[in-house]
Each structure stands twice: as structure tokens, then as C-alpha cells.
Amino acid sequence: MSVVSYGFLVFFVLVCFVYYALPKNLQKLQWIVILAASLIFYASAGVFYLGIVTITAGIVYICSLFMQKNLDQQEQLLEGADRRSARKIKNEMKQKRKRMLTVALCAVIGILIVFKGSSFLIENINMLLWHMDHGIIPVWKLAAPLGISFYSFMMISYLMDLYHGKIHAQQNFLKYLTYVLYFPHITQGPIGRYESTGKELFVEHAFCYSVIKKGLYLMVWGYFKKLVIADRLSAFVTAVIGSAGNYEGYIFLIAGILYSIQIYCDFSGCMDIIRGASECLGITLKENFKRPYFSKTLPEFWRRWHISLGEFFRENVFYPVSTSQVFLKWNTAARKRFGNELGRNIASVMPILCVWVLTGVWHGANWNYIGWGIYHGILICLSTIFEQPLMAVNTRLKIPTEHILFKIFQMLRTFFLCVVGRLIFLGNGLSDSFHMISSMFKRTQTVYTVESFPLTVNEWCVVLICVIFLSGVSVVQEIMEKKQAEMTIRDWLDKQNVLLQMGVVLTGILVILCFGVYGQGAGAAFIYEQF
Amino acid sequence: MKQKIRQDLKRVIAIAAFFCMLLWIVGELGVLVRPFDEDFDKWHYFYAEDKDTLNVAAIGSSSIYRYWIPTRAYEKYGFTSFMIAQSGQDIHTVPYIMEEAVKSQKVDLFIVETRQLVTYRTSEYKEQTDKEKQQYLFSTISAGMKPSFVRMRMIHDILQKDAGNPEIEWQIPLLKYHDNLLNGTWTEWKKRLTSGRDIYKSATQISKVEKQSETKIEPDGTLVLLEEDHQIIDEIVRTAEKLNTKILFIATPYIATKYRYPLQLQLDAYMEKKGYSYLNLNAEKKEIGLDLSTDFYNLYHTNIAGANKVTDYLAEYLSTHYRFENKLNSTQKKDWDTSVAAWKEKEAELLAQWEENCKEQE
């Protein structure tokens, strides 16, 4: 059931109704309503897949109980122990906990690899075997359960937090299943933390008109971005990228720019719908996008884009790799060879590249995604290495780095680097991507007109007006945040006259109904749903 | 506590007002964004007529709109009429059309053309009309109809539902046709937003000629009208009674074929058995003066020459069998007189072309 389907809207209204209709003495059971709704939501994609998720959650649940038992034992043993004994006890218990953690991680990651990566691995092994004149392994193509990448990472995050003692294991399997299957975030995230989401899921939520209203505002905004902008641009992008061999020249730059807008509106639009829906149930999900195209550097971009994924990799890959024995040795060697500053920066290449290769693989077992990950990894490494030298150059040349024009230059530079990355991401094979990027700045005799592509002039006008409006709202929000205003645009709107609020929402809904791409034949799925 | 109740009440009223406004705008937009095909404009022109100015509303498919000329009937016999007729109009929609029509026109008489009953059961029809076309034909009736419970019931009862054809998009036409907002050209939008009444009062005739001939057909009993076909006729009669309006079923003249003739005979017999008001113009071809060599453009429809004859015959029949009161004020009369004059000009063009076509046929 897609969140942009008629069925979801009806489903969601019914869930809200049942959720808040519970009498006060039964409100502590609201999580059961969420569990039932989530089971129905997920089962609509296939009962078989619901079984897969439940089994995976079951394995994690059992392992988490053992890990919690270990933590409780550790706490008991630590009572009255001196510092030396305490350290010894902690290490011993940690080793035992690690075994359980390993079992659970192997199960979760193993299932993820079977569904997402097995055919890719077999295809590449077969390529090697073919070169070696060996027989090939039969390839199997498994349809992955909905949201497997997202819920697998949520489970990993839960296990890691539990391992480090940051949270207590959920003792009730049904409650744990509710957290995993929570229908707003199961298909596309955000990759939640049990610490925050878990708490909110199981407390009582009384009906609050203002909260629900603001949740609905966010949903309308999300539908606007997804249906009016993203899905409208999809026709053009698909036409160009789908037959890249038939095009050349600047058209790829345009396609890259428009795809950047499309994917932002698609993914952040979905996030807004999901967060808005969750807020209507009184549960706050973390923001996953913070106007990423206002970023002045790539590291900043990745702190604003798909924030939850970045946090996950930072905590579960970057920090562990950075504090590993291998890295420490590599760090020491690099500092000895290149000096403290440069050496440290060069040593950070290893964990950065680890993170980015995995980020690419997370999107899918495909050389384009891996290539995209490596591309961003290299750029971030370079950004880290040359940060100080560039600052020195700017100072020497007296470049006014605080001037708005310089900031705009930085934003455009970062955006352009992202556009190149998108073309790597999008191509049908790396050769396709290379053709698009190399062709981007070549002179071409071909003249492309509006008629060459699926969108009409009227549609381009709608897209342009909507993108300008989106940019305006984003600029206002960015300024409000820079001025450290406590409130968002939603908060501001909530305080306005009721007629203005009604007018804004009515206009938003009508724009979506009139200019959105939906209905029979529209059928554009969310880009990130495939991951 | 009182303040909280007052605040809650204000909120409920605000929400209700919001949804009423939204539904109203969506409903109006839904009619506005209907496809730009002429087939979708029939309801628009019907609604455009001044309230309670029509004596007769004729409902049917092309088997009425190729036969009846309202301005000709008005000029000769002084009663007003209008057609709510689309190509291939499903006879099951007739009760709903009647209910919708009386909201704006308290007509003295409904004429219901019965051709669809002898058509849609036949194999030739099924071959010609696949599911997509059937849905298109249904959409020409539903899309232009104003939002109402009548339309809701009609769509719910008649639409062939499937996953790729969600009912909600039919109930809220804006969801189905919103793309027309961007796809329509400036000319099309200008015409739609400025078009008022139909100058020809729903008349649609053509000048094409195709020589026809009739052969004797003996029914072999394989084709039968089913019980559900009888039921729809009964349902139409009940609806007319409920609306306190007279009804006349008619069968407009066509060339008998082995598919339709047997069913026509059964329909005629059923009408007689039930004693419904029924005028079978197939049996009156001689009296009407129809010339098979010049008055038809295919087996099933008359051209301008044939339509003139049928209109004269039927209009005389109606004026002698029914009482029609004058419903027009002086301004409305002028409007109809203007339409008569406009139609005369159009008719002259069509007849000139018809004569040319007749010569070519020779």
C-alpha cells in the first residue's frame, strides 16, 4: 500500500479514528492499534514478506533478551566491585554479549544479503567463472521484502544500542514488533532509534487538535512535493536517462539537475508524509532532510540529506572503524610519515571509504550505486584533506568567505558535485554514467526542444512555479533556522488566523488534486521504496 | 469547561465549513475538467437551458439525436424539447438521467428511446464494443453530470469495477480528468468557459447518404430479451411515476437486421403486454414517408432528410396526444426563435450537401 494511494488515505483516517476513539482507561493500549494497522499495512504487500520480517524480528528479539540478561548480570556483579574488578567484569560480560550480538547481526545482515545482494554476487562470480571457463552458478532473483534495507538497519541500530547499554531491551515481543513494523516508517525510514521512537510508541496519546493539524500540514506539503514536482519531473528524467545512448551534450546536465530536484522532492516528500502521519498519531519521527541543497560543502550536504542513514553509518561504521586497532596503527603510521595534521586526515580516508562503499551497497547491489558511493567517499576525503589548505588560500587571497555571493558559489559548487554523483547513480551501468558525464560539457549539434520530451509547455510552467515556491519556502525556513527562531513555518502558520490557515491548506490540497501526477496510468512509485 | 466546549464547537464548525468548501470546489472543478470531446458537453447544454422551460426531455442514444430536431418541432407545434443523449448511451442510466433532469426542468413528458435494448445483447454489438469503449460511453454521461447523490448512485450501480478503474475516480471526476487542466489548449478552454446555451438546442444531424434496402427476416428464436431487460423498462416506468411525469417509449426507425429484428419484435410484444405508452416508428416508415435510398446514412440512423420527416411525424403525434403548456417568457421565446433561425441556416447547408450526396449515390 503506497502512501500516495487512495487506499492509504482511507486506511490512515480509519486508524486515527480507532486510535483516538479508545476510552481513556484503554489509551495505554493504543500501541495495539498501531500494531494491528502495521500488520495490515505490511501484509498488503504480501503475507510471505510479513513472515520474513516477523522471523527476523523474532531472532533479534530473542538475542536482545539474552543481551539484556547479560547487562542485568553485569550490573549485579558490578555492585561493590573495585575499579580493577569492574573493568575485568565489564570486559568479560562484553565478550559474552558480543557473541549474542554477532548471532543477531549475522541473521539480520545475512537475510538482507540473501534478498538484496545474492543475485549481484552470483552474477559477478559467474563473470569470473566464465573467464576461467568454469560452469556458472544459477542466478536466483528474489523479490526483497518491502523496506528491508530500512528495517534491517533499525534492527542493527537497536542491537548496537543495546550492546552498548544505551537502552533496555523490549521484553514484550509484540511491542518490539510494533516498533519494527510501525507503518509510517517501515517502507522508507527514517531509520529510527529505539531510544526515542520506542518511548513514544508505547505511551498514551490524547487527542490534540493542534498536533494533528500540524501533522496534516506536513502531509499536504509532502504530497505537494511528491505528486506535483517529483512525479511531474519523472517523465522527463526517465526519457533521457532511460535512453541515454540517444542523447548527448547539455541535456545530461539538465537531466542531472532535474533529477536532483526530483529525488529531493520524492524522498523528502515521502518523509514529510510519513512524519506528518506519525505526528497525527502523536509520535514524532526525526527529520531526515534539512534543505540539503543549501549546503556549502559535501560533508555538510551529508549532514542534511538522509540524516538518519548518515547517523547510522557514523555510529555503526565510522566510529568503530576509527577506533579499531587497524585504524589506530594506520593513523600512527600516517602521522609519522606526513605530520600530525595531514597524517590524521590521510588516515581518515579508510573509515570514510568504508562508510561510503557500504552506503553505496545499501542502495543496492549494483556497480552504479557502489561507484556513486566511492565517488562521494573520495570527494569527502579530499574535502577533509584540503579543508585547512583551502582556508589558508582564502585568507591569503582575502576572499570574503562570509559574503553571500561566496556562499552561493559554494552552494552551487556542492550542488554541481551532487549532480555528477546523480548521473553515476542513475546510469544503466557505469559506461552509461561515464557517457552522460563526459558528454555533459561537449558541444553538440543537436538542438533539443520542449517537443522532444514528454512534458508539455504547460507542465514545465507548473514545475517551474512550484520549484520557485518550494525554494522560497526553503529559503524562509533556512533563514528562520539561522536566526535560531524557535518555530518552523508550520508553527508560524498554526498561530495565524483560522481563515488564513484554511485558505493555505485548501489551496495546497487543490494544487495537489489539480496538478498532481496520480490516478490510472500515473503509477510512479517512490524512488527510495526500491531500497 | 464552557469555554472548552465553545472552542471545540468552533473547531468542529470550522472543519465542517472547510470540508464543505473543499467538496464544492472539487465538484465544480470536476465538471469543468471533463474531456474536451463534444460527447461530454450534453449535460452542460441541458443545464444551460433556463429552469422549467422544457416541455419534453428526450433520452436515448444516437437513435434519438439523429432523428429529432427540437427547433423544428418548436417552430411547427410550439412545444420545447431537448435531448440528453450520447452515443451508445446505456439504457440502465435512464432512471438516473430522469431524476437528474427534473431538478432543473419539470418536463411534461419524457421520451425514452429503446434502441439500446435491442442492441447490446447482440453479438455484433459485443464485437464492436469492448470494455474500454463501454467505460468511455459511460463516462460521457457521468463526467458532465453535476455532483449529486443521483450521480453517486448511478456510478455505484452501473460502473464495472476493477482494480485499474477505481470507483472513487468516477465519483470525483477531478481525480480522473485533472490532467485536462494542463492538456487543454487555450482555444478549448476559451470555448468551454464562454459557451452558454446550445444554439441548435441539442440537434445533431448529418448530410451523409447511404442507400439502404430491407429484406424479410424470420426470427429463429436464438436471440431473446432477458428478464433483466424487462426489468429496466419497468424501472423506467416506476421512476416516471415517482417523478409524477408522463413517459413515452419510442423505437426510432432503422433497417431490420437478423440480430435486431427478433429482439425488436419481442420488445414490441412486451410493451403491448404491459400496456406502456409506446410508439414503434419502425411500423410507420411508410406513414413517415421515409425513403430508404436517401434518408439513411447507415443501417441504423437517418440523415437530415430522414430526421426532418421523423421530427414532423413525431411532433404531430406528441401535439395531438399530449398537452403542452407554454413555459416561455418573452425573452426565452426570443431565444428559441433565434435558435430556429440558426437551425434553418444550418439545415439549408446540410440539405444542400445531402442533395450532392444523393446525386453521388445515383
Side-chain angles (χ1 to χ4, degrees), chain A residues 204-444:
Chain A
E204 295 172 22
H205 296 281
F207 179 88
C208 177
Y209 175 71
S210 177
V211 163
I212 290 171
K213 197 171 44 149
K214 280 158 68 174
L216 290 173
Y217 289 168
L218 194 54
M219 287 179 80
V220 169
W221 183 240
Y223 282 118
F224 165 73
K225 284 198 280 188
K226 163 64 179 167
L227 296 178
V228 180
I229 302 177
D231 285 354
R232 188 72 59 190
L233 286 174
S234 166
F236 171 83
V237 172
T238 308
V240 174
I241 305 300
S243 338
N246 298 339
Y247 297 96
E248 56 177 10
Y250 62 88
I251 199 67
F252 292 119
L253 178 62
I254 295 171
I257 292 169
L258 292 178
Y259 180 68
S260 301
I261 299 172
Q262 180 199 342
I263 194 171
Y264 169 69
C265 290
D266 191 287
F267 200 3
S268 69
C270 174
M271 286 297 106
D272 289 340
I273 296 168
I274 284 166
R275 284 177 55 229
S278 190
E279 281 183 27
C280 288
L281 298 171
I283 296 156
T284 311
L285 294 177
K286 205 175 162 174
E287 219 176 334
N288 218 10
F289 288 86
K290 261 192 169 141
R291 298 167 299 284
Y293 294 139
F294 286 99
S295 306
K296 296 185 280 299
T297 62
L298 264 185
E300 187 188 350
F301 177 83
W302 288 106
R303 285 194 295 276
R304 292 184 184 232
W305 178 283
H306 206 172
I307 297 168
S308 61
L309 185 69
E311 278 178 4
F312 175 89
F313 277 119
R314 193 164 52 246
E315 288 187 20
N316 298 300
V317 178
F318 185 80
Y319 291 150
V321 170
S322 307
T323 53
S324 66
Q325 288 300 317
V326 174
F327 175 76
L328 289 172
K329 281 185 189 158
W330 164 243
N331 193 3
T332 311
R335 285 161 83 166
K336 230 186 218 174
R337 178 77 178 81
F338 299 105
N340 262 347
E341 193 73 37
L342 186 62
R344 192 182 57 224
N345 287 335
I346 289 173
S348 67
V349 164
M350 186 169 88
I352 290 172
L353 283 178
C354 280
V355 165
W356 282 100
V357 168
L358 285 173
T359 306
V361 169
W362 177 86
H363 284 82
N366 177 310
W367 287 114
N368 283 84
Y369 300 143
I370 296 168
W372 167 86
I374 293 172
Y375 166 79
H376 275 282
I378 291 171
L379 285 179
I380 288 175
C381 290
L382 292 172
S383 173
T384 311
I385 292 168
F386 290 105
E387 189 183 353
Q388 294 298 330
L390 274 174
M391 271 171 66
V393 166
N394 289 337
T395 311
R396 191 170 281 184
L397 295 177
K398 293 198 177 103
I399 293 172
T401 53
E402 289 306 309
H403 197 281
I404 183 72
L405 286 176
F406 185 77
K407 288 182 182 173
I408 292 172
F409 157 73
Q410 287 179 305
M411 289 177 201
L412 290 173
R413 178 194 63 194
T414 308
F415 182 73
F416 173 72
L417 290 172
C418 287
V419 166
V420 171
R422 302 260 184 252
L423 292 177
I424 302 173
F425 191 86
L426 270 182
N428 278 323
L430 286 172
S431 55
D432 233 23
S433 300
F434 182 73
H435 161 69
M436 290 193 283
I437 294 165
S438 60
S439 178
M440 236 176 11
F441 296 104
K442 272 192 197 156
R443 260 201 194 154
T444 173

Side-chain angles (χ1 to χ4, degrees), chain B residues 126-310:
Chain B
K126 282 193 177 73
E127 277 157 21
Q128 290 159 24
T129 318
D130 59 16
K131 191 177 173 187
E132 218 175 281
K133 190 168 179 194
Q134 280 178 34
Q135 285 185 354
Y136 170 80
L137 295 174
F138 182 58
S139 71
T140 59
I141 307 160
S142 66
M145 216 191 243
K146 284 183 182 171
S148 65
F149 287 116
V150 174
R151 193 185 77 183
M152 267 174 70
R153 283 190 291 113
M154 181 181 79
I155 291 169
H156 184 69
D157 294 341
I158 295 176
L159 179 69
Q160 290 176 47
K161 296 165 190 59
D162 59 56
N165 194 31
E167 186 181 332
I168 190 168
E169 288 191 354
W170 288 76
Q171 294 288 7
I172 306 174
L174 182 63
L175 302 183
K176 196 170 167 64
Y177 299 120
H178 63 280
D179 279 338
N180 290 335
L181 270 167
L182 294 179
N183 294 340
T185 62
W186 172 241
T187 320
E188 284 170 331
W189 275 112
K190 198 175 161 194
K191 187 184 169 199
R192 173 154 295 176
L193 293 170
T194 56
S195 70
R197 294 196 193 107
D198 182 358
I199 188 84
Y200 302 131
K201 301 296 184 194
S202 71
T204 320
Q205 268 65 39
I206 62 176
S207 58
K208 204 171 150 205
V209 177
E210 193 182 274
K211 214 176 204 177
Q212 305 295 333
S213 60
E214 243 173 343
T215 51
K216 196 165 163 55
I217 295 165
E218 288 300 332
D220 59 8
T222 50
L223 287 165
V224 289
L225 278 183
L226 302 177
E227 183 53 33
E228 57 195 78
D229 300 322
H230 298 157
Q231 280 170 1
I232 188 59
I233 299 169
D234 298 339
E235 175 64 30
I236 293 169
V237 171
R238 274 197 298 274
T239 305
E241 282 167 5
K242 190 176 82 180
L243 299 173
N244 200 24
T245 313
K246 293 195 181 85
I247 186 156
L248 171 68
F249 291 99
I250 66 169
T252 49
Y254 62 96
I255 311 303
T257 63
K258 63 179 181 179
Y259 297 110
R260 301 190 185 197
Y261 184 64
L263 295 173
Q264 187 67 59
L265 290 178
Q266 291 169 48
L267 176 63
D268 298 344
Y270 184 75
M271 292 297 197
E272 196 181 332
K273 178 183 157 192
K274 296 292 274 191
Y276 294 146
S277 297
Y278 176 58
L279 179 64
N280 182 5
L281 295 175
N282 279 295
E284 311 290 330
K285 283 191 188 108
K286 257 198 186 133
E287 285 74 11
I288 295 170
L290 285 170
D291 182 347
L292 298 187
S293 60
T294 60
D295 293 346
F296 285 80
Y297 72 82
N298 63 22
L299 287 170
Y300 308 121
H301 303 98
T302 53
N303 53 32
I304 179 66
N308 280 348
K309 293 173 185 173
V310 171

Side-chain angles (χ1 to χ4, degrees), chain A residues 6 10 209-210 232 456 458-459 462 498 501-503 505-507 509-510 512-520, chain B residues 11 14-15 17-18 21-22 25-26 29 135 162 164-166 168-170 174-176 178-179 181-184:
Chain A
Y6 303 125
V10 173
Y209 175 71
S210 177
R232 188 72 59 190
T456 62
N458 289 345
E459 288 176 291
V462 166
V498 69
Q501 290 185 53
M502 275 171 56
V505 175
L506 189 65
T507 307
I509 292 173
L510 288 174
I512 293 164
L513 291 179
C514 292
F515 301 115
V517 176
Y518 60 88
Q520 214 177 349
Chain B
R11 280 180 183 157
I15 292 168
F18 174 82
M21 176 89 85
L22 179 65
I25 294 175
V26 165
L29 281 176
Q135 285 185 354
D162 59 56
N165 194 31
I168 190 168
E169 288 191 354
W170 288 76
L174 182 63
L175 302 183
K176 196 170 167 64
H178 63 280
D179 279 338
L181 270 167
L182 294 179
N183 294 340

